Amino acid sequence: MDSLDELIARLTEFEAKEDERRIGARMCTIAQDFVREAGHLMPLPDVPFATGITLTPLVDRYGMVTVKMCRYSVPVRFIDRKVTVTLTCDDLTVYDGRREIARHRLLTGHGSEHLVLDHYLEALLTKPGALERSEALHQARAEGTFTAVHEAF
């Protein structure tokens, strides 16, 4: 899929076909069975709830957490600390306690990495020459997130 909207459209189309299908030798379609059973379902909760999974990875010495075989940057001050990660269908959010410290789009390629240049600026203060060769700088320029403020830094 190229987008979430395309995925939703294809799932909607699939569900419409499934509604007309019969299971085995049953007389009713799936949609007819659902109408009959719907009254027995519990109502949805009044309060919204998170639908992601929660993990507690350790930030490695490169300021990265590994989740589902992909690596994501966090601010370097969290190196060697456990953080909490909430993983949903389209993004990954990293928390230190209750405070959000990083947010990334979910990567799908095995072994992929996403680095945010701002997560490394503290370390680059002590190693200014390292900025030019850093992968975080390369990704920031490729994504168009390298700003004039970064250039001045």
Side-chain angles (χ1 to χ4, degrees), residues 25-37:
R26 291 186 185 179
M27 296 293 292
C28 297
T29 65
I30 290 174
Q32 291 167 334
D33 283 342
F34 181 76
V35 168
R36 204 175 34 168
E37 294 173 10

Side-chain angles (χ1 to χ4, degrees), residues 117-118 140-141 144-153:
L117 180 60
D118 291 353
R141 284 187 170 145
T145 57
F146 187 75
T147 65
V149 174
H150 291 109
E151 187 65 45
F153 179 77

Side-chain angles (χ1 to χ4, degrees), residues 19-81:
D19 281 348
E20 299 308 313
R21 189 169 65 87
R22 297 179 194 279
I23 298 174
R26 291 186 185 179
M27 296 293 292
C28 297
T29 65
I30 290 174
Q32 291 167 334
D33 283 342
F34 181 76
V35 168
R36 204 175 34 168
E37 294 173 10
H40 300 287
L41 298 174
M42 294 178 63
L44 291 173
D46 293 331
V47 180
F49 58 93
T51 57
I53 60 171
T54 302
L55 307 164
T56 54
L58 182 69
V59 179
D60 68 17
R61 67 186 190 140
Y62 302 107
M64 307 279 285
V65 292
T66 302
V67 176
K68 302 277 184 180
M69 304 302 287
C70 294
R71 295 175 42 155
Y72 304 86
S73 68
V74 299
V76 293
R77 65 182 165 275
F78 296 101
I79 289 175
D80 291 331
R81 289 176 53 183

Side-chain angles (χ1 to χ4, degrees), residues 91-123:
D91 71 356
L92 173 136
T93 309
V94 184
Y95 298 92
D96 177 45
R98 293 181 170 208
R99 185 172 50 121
E100 181 180 316
I101 59 172
R103 182 178 292 266
H104 297 270
R105 70 187 186 293
L106 187 63
L107 299 173
T108 56
H110 180 78
S112 297
E113 293 183 340
H114 186 251
L115 296 94
V116 175
L117 180 60
D118 291 353
H119 293 163
Y120 295 96
L121 293 180
E122 296 171 35

Side-chain angles (χ1 to χ4, degrees), residues 126-141:
T126 59
K127 301 177 182 180
L131 177 62
E132 196 56 43
R133 297 179 307 278
S134 72
E135 179 64 23
L137 175 62
H138 174 71
Q139 283 190 17
R141 284 187 170 145

